[in-house]
Amino acid sequence: MASKEGGEKSKNAQGTGDNKEKRRKESILDLSKYLEKSIRVKFAGGREAAGILKGYDPLLNLVLDNTTEFLRDPDDPYKLLDDTRALGLVVCRGTSVVLICPMDGMEAIPNPFITQEG
């Protein structure tokens, strides 16, 4: 009887896997066009860094090369100073990333949250 239940469980596991793949949403943020280009990243807590985007994953973990951190005022952590610090190759944890901005400018995109009526 235990083997029969095990067989049913594996059937259910396979069936739900197919549904998850069908329900997978497309990411609204496409960082592939910024690979090998300079970007600036703002983090939770006020830190900012700039570097060349070498890689990323769906959780927004970033790999930056030739990274420079912009130092903050000790009295006001959200105020940046003119001083910088070279960091080199850095892995940025995606949960702390607040903003990603290309250094060469911006482009407008359509709002992905507006439903299209048709």
Side-chain angles (χ1 to χ4, degrees):
M1 190 167 207
S3 62
K4 185 178 180 183
E5 289 177 9
E8 289 177 18
K9 286 182 183 177
S10 64
K11 274 186 185 177
N12 290 340
Q14 290 173 351
T16 57
D18 293 338
N19 291 339
K20 284 184 181 177
E21 287 182 344
K22 290 179 185 175
R23 283 188 269 160
R24 181 177 288 168
K25 292 185 180 178
E26 186 178 322
S27 176
I28 62 169
L29 185 60
D30 181 24
L31 291 177
S32 63
K33 58 185 169 187
Y34 300 114
L35 283 172
E36 301 298 327
K37 294 184 181 172
S38 293
I39 62 168
R40 188 163 177 157
V41 183
K42 291 188 181 188
F43 299 97
R47 282 187 161 183
E48 290 189 32
I52 299 170
L53 182 64
K54 292 293 184 177
Y56 65 96
D57 66 7
L59 299 174
L60 245 61
N61 295 315
L62 306 174
V63 178
L64 299 177
D65 197 11
N66 297 330
T67 308
T68 302
E69 179 184 9
F70 300 95
L71 298 177
R72 300 174 292 166
D73 187 354
D75 298 328
D76 184 5
Y78 291 98
K79 182 179 180 186
L80 293 176
L81 299 175
D82 292 333
D83 295 336
T84 60
R85 174 172 78 154
L87 300 178
L89 187 66
V90 175
V91 176
C92 307
R93 187 174 168 102
T95 56
S96 65
V97 172
V98 175
L99 181 124
I100 300 171
C101 176
M103 294 291 279
D104 61 352
M106 298 177 284
E107 74 178 58
I109 63 168
N111 187 342
F113 301 107
I114 295 177
T115 55
Q116 299 292 331
E117 294 181 19

